[in-house]
Amino acid sequence: MGVEVDVQQTFRSGGHDFNLCMQFSCYEDITVLFGQSGAGKSLLLKIIAGLQEVHAGKIVINERVLFDSSKNIDVPSRYRNVGYLFQDYALFPHMNVGENIGFSKRSILSKVLKGKDEERVHELLDIFQIKDFSKKYPSEISGGQRQRVGLARALLQRPDILLLDEPFSALDPLLRIQMREELKKIQSIFKIPILLITHDPQDVAELGERLVLIKQGLVSGSVDLANAPYRDSYGKPVRPEIRKILLSAAGVSSA
Amino acid sequence: MTSLPITVEAVAIPLFLSLKVAGIATLIAALTGISIAWLAAKREFFGKEVLDAILTLPVVLPPTVLGYYLLVLLGRRGPIGSWLETYFGINLIFTWQGAVIAASIVAFPLVYKSARTAFEGVSKQYEDASRVLGKNEVQVFFLVTFPLAIRGILAGSMLAFARALGEFGATLMVAGSLPGKTQTLSIAVYEAVQAGHDQIANFLVIITSIVCIVVLLTSNYFLKPKYREA
């Protein structure tokens, strides 16, 4: 069980070529993608979700081939079964919280879900403690609540992987701490690989069990953060060590 | 100056004919306008902006010029007219159906333009989110794109209806002014004034104005947002 990604693509914009060439694998834990803006992290998530075209390579999740250029396999987004949390959550503004969460199971004609699907929505409303405002619209709830709705919506269809594009960037610092804890809880409940993009070294230290460093469209390094020297004997992150790799990856010599 | 009594026939017949012609024309303009607007807003294809310019022409061209084009195309010797005549025995010139075609074409750009703007205003992210959540393109359209664009589309359709209701030049050229058959409200006003039937003209003008005000009020109502974007 695990995720294997190996993709190449050249993007042309404004007369410049941008080469994206990324290879890495991850398992049922939290993998943090760290790199500067414009390094191609969001593109990579879009490619995995099938929202962005790619020339060559292979994407396999839990032994299921989603993309293989050598065999002409390119599974459309809707069959990839990935959970995707967009940077600003992309909650549907014309649907209330409950309808947003149940979206993947509804039909065109009716927004009413049947037995099992409806139970599942309630289960997720409970897990994320958002039952009280299931009838409210996205514009009527706070940033942290919106994020929970986005996560619940993505998890309803029991995805094989969860892709999070800078999930905490729109939240204030205290809320970030809380949402990091919630994400760990989710990980322990759903036990699926989580790929998370961040600019925040704090996220890397607190959440990352695996770190993939991305620079100008390439994977410049991959670090196992679950063990020494990045974790102490109590399993707590050793911040100075983690800081060191992040700084050297960014080309800054650590003091 | 004759003061012909205001009869039911003099007012109700052109009014209902106008509502029928404008209603059907708006339906045709809305269906075609929404489909093409979706293509123009969400897909890339060669010659898109040229097509856009051609489809917008009816707003800027004088209605008589449009009417002349239609007469040439739909007339017995015209390419479309002769084909319809030979294979279906249909003649559109001087019929109310001809008036519908004239009104549809005049009303089309109003739906098309507002629908295109409305579709372009729907962020791709919402559509991508629904694709990832397992929806195919038809479901994406009916569950996300269309509901998020509906206000602009309805407002455009209302304007199109008002425009179709007031259509004069192209309709007169294609359908003429046959009382009870192709004489719509706006043409009936013209005829009444020409004949010096001032009372009928006054009454028709007031009726037309009231109908248009109701349409515009409805259109404003649809333009008010029901929810905010988060």
Side-chain angles (χ1 to χ4, degrees):
Chain A
M1 299 290 261
V3 180
E4 278 170 61
V5 177
D6 178 5
V7 287
Q8 293 111 44
Q9 169 81 312
T10 302
F11 294 95
R12 207 152 281 158
S13 69
H16 289 280
D17 277 1
F18 177 77
N19 286 306
L20 186 134
C21 179
M22 294 194 194
Q23 195 204 342
F24 66 92
S25 36
C26 55
Y27 304 92
E28 278 168 19
D29 52 12
I30 302 180
T31 302
V32 177
L33 299 170
F34 187 85
Q36 286 168 330
S37 308
K41 308 183 297 293
S42 291
L43 270 179
L44 178 68
L45 292 198
K46 288 217 163 81
I47 288 170
I48 295 173
L51 296 171
Q52 176 72 55
E53 220 181 306
V54 66
H55 282 321
K58 199 174 174 181
I59 301 168
V60 184
I61 295 176
N62 290 350
E63 283 147 27
R64 184 166 164 240
V65 181
L66 298 184
F67 179 79
D68 189 342
S69 54
S70 67
K71 287 182 190 150
N72 263 328
I73 297 173
D74 187 1
V75 176
S77 278
R78 63 180 185 276
Y79 298 130
R80 289 200 178 194
N81 200 28
V82 298
Y84 199 123
L85 186 69
F86 290 85
Q87 202 169 343
D88 48 15
Y89 319 134
L91 300 181
F92 304 122
H94 58 305
M95 297 181 193
N96 67 31
V97 165
E99 289 162 10
N100 260 286
I101 295 175
F103 184 81
S104 57
K105 296 292 181 192
R106 72 165 286 183
S107 68
I108 289 183
L109 296 176
S110 166
K111 55 181 155 192
V112 181
L113 298 182
K114 277 175 267 162
K116 272 220 164 123
D117 295 335
E118 208 212 338
E119 275 170 38
R120 176 93 177 130
V121 171
H122 283 289
E123 196 184 312
L124 283 159
L125 285 167
D126 277 337
I127 292 174
F128 286 94
Q129 294 164 11
I130 44 182
K131 200 158 228 160
D132 292 345
F133 40 86
S134 68
K135 293 276 177 276
K136 288 203 172 180
Y137 284 83
S139 61
E140 299 168 337
I141 60 178
S142 73
Q145 291 165 340
R146 271 181 219 159
Q147 178 164 65
R148 292 197 190 109
V149 176
L151 281 169
R153 183 178 74 177
L155 289 164
L156 186 88
Q157 54 181 348
R158 300 178 199 278
D160 296 324
I161 185 173
L162 190 55
L163 308 171
L164 311 176
D165 192 348
E166 292 192 44
F168 309 124
S169 63
L171 304 179
D172 60 63
L174 277 176
L175 204 53
R176 278 185 203 193
I177 295 173
Q178 191 191 342
M179 291 311 291
R180 280 191 201 110
E181 289 310 311
E182 288 200 15
L183 193 63
K184 284 189 209 168
K185 200 180 87 188
I186 290 166
Q187 161 70 19
S188 68
I189 297 173
F190 292 91
K191 295 194 173 54
I192 51 172
I194 296 179
L195 259 180
L196 179 149
I197 290 181
T198 186
H199 292 289
D200 186 350
Q202 202 79 9
D203 288 342
V204 180
E206 294 296 332
L207 292 170
E209 288 162 273
R210 200 173 302 276
L211 168 68
V212 175
L213 297 160
I214 291 178
K215 204 172 180 181
Q216 288 166 349
L218 306 171
V219 171
S220 63
S222 169
V223 185
D224 184 358
L225 293 180
N227 299 306
Y230 306 109
R231 290 286 159 97
D232 64 19
S233 45
Y234 303 101
K236 293 268 178 240
V238 182
R239 288 165 197 281
E241 288 297 327
I242 293 171
R243 228 174 122 98
K244 228 187 270 174
I245 17 166
L246 294 180
L247 286 173
S248 72
V252 184
S253 58
S254 54
Chain B
M1 266 265 266
T2 48
S3 71
L4 210 75
I6 302 171
T7 57
V8 176
E9 289 88 64
V11 179
I13 291 176
L15 175 65
F16 285 113
L17 180 66
S18 274
L19 289 175
K20 177 169 84 173
V21 168
I24 300 174
T26 307
L27 206 67
I28 295 173
L31 287 176
T32 50
I34 292 168
S35 327
I36 301 175
W38 180 83
L39 275 176
K42 299 293 177 187
R43 294 287 185 266
E44 287 308 317
F45 54 89
F46 180 74
K48 188 158 103 176
E49 294 315 316
V50 177
L51 180 73
D52 184 271
I54 293 170
L55 293 176
T56 314
L57 263 184
V59 189
V60 287
L61 277 183
T64 44
V65 173
L66 269 180
Y68 184 75
Y69 274 132
L70 284 175
L71 213 48
V72 169
L73 286 172
L74 300 176
R76 286 219 172 127
R77 290 198 208 116
I80 301 175
S82 61
W83 182 78
L84 285 173
E85 175 93 63
T86 331
Y87 291 96
F88 302 96
I90 294 172
N91 170 41
L92 288 170
I93 303 302
F94 296 121
T95 63
W96 70 268
Q97 291 92 338
V100 166
I101 292 182
S104 321
I105 288 174
V106 171
F108 173 87
L110 295 166
V111 185
Y112 166 73
K113 277 288 177 187
S114 34
R116 181 174 176 179
T117 311
F119 283 142
E120 281 169 347
V122 176
S123 160
K124 187 169 182 287
Q125 201 151 74
Y126 295 128
E127 295 162 338
D128 275 350
S130 42
R131 288 183 186 111
V132 174
L133 289 164
K135 300 301 179 213
N136 63 35
E137 293 306 304
V138 175
Q139 292 168 318
V140 170
F141 178 81
F142 283 108
L143 289 173
V144 176
T145 317
F146 188 72
L148 288 176
I150 188 95
R151 285 192 293 122
I153 292 170
L154 281 177
S157 304
M158 286 316 234
L159 283 178
F161 181 73
R163 177 69 187 83
L165 205 60
E167 184 12 61
F168 180 81
T171 310
L172 190 62
M173 293 198 63
V174 175
S177 169
L178 307 172
K181 230 185 125 201
T182 64
Q183 197 180 77
T184 57
L185 257 188
S186 44
I187 296 171
V189 170
Y190 178 78
E191 297 283 359
V193 172
Q194 287 292 305
H197 300 150
D198 285 8
Q199 270 191 315
I200 294 182
N202 285 343
F203 200 74
L204 287 173
V205 164
I206 290 168
I207 295 272
T208 311
S209 307
I210 291 172
V211 173
C212 286
I213 288 171
V214 169
V215 169
L216 291 175
L217 282 177
T218 320
S219 153
N220 282 347
Y221 170 79
F222 283 124
L223 268 175
K224 268 200 205 102
K226 297 277 182 302
Y227 51 81
R228 283 186 303 127
E229 294 239 352

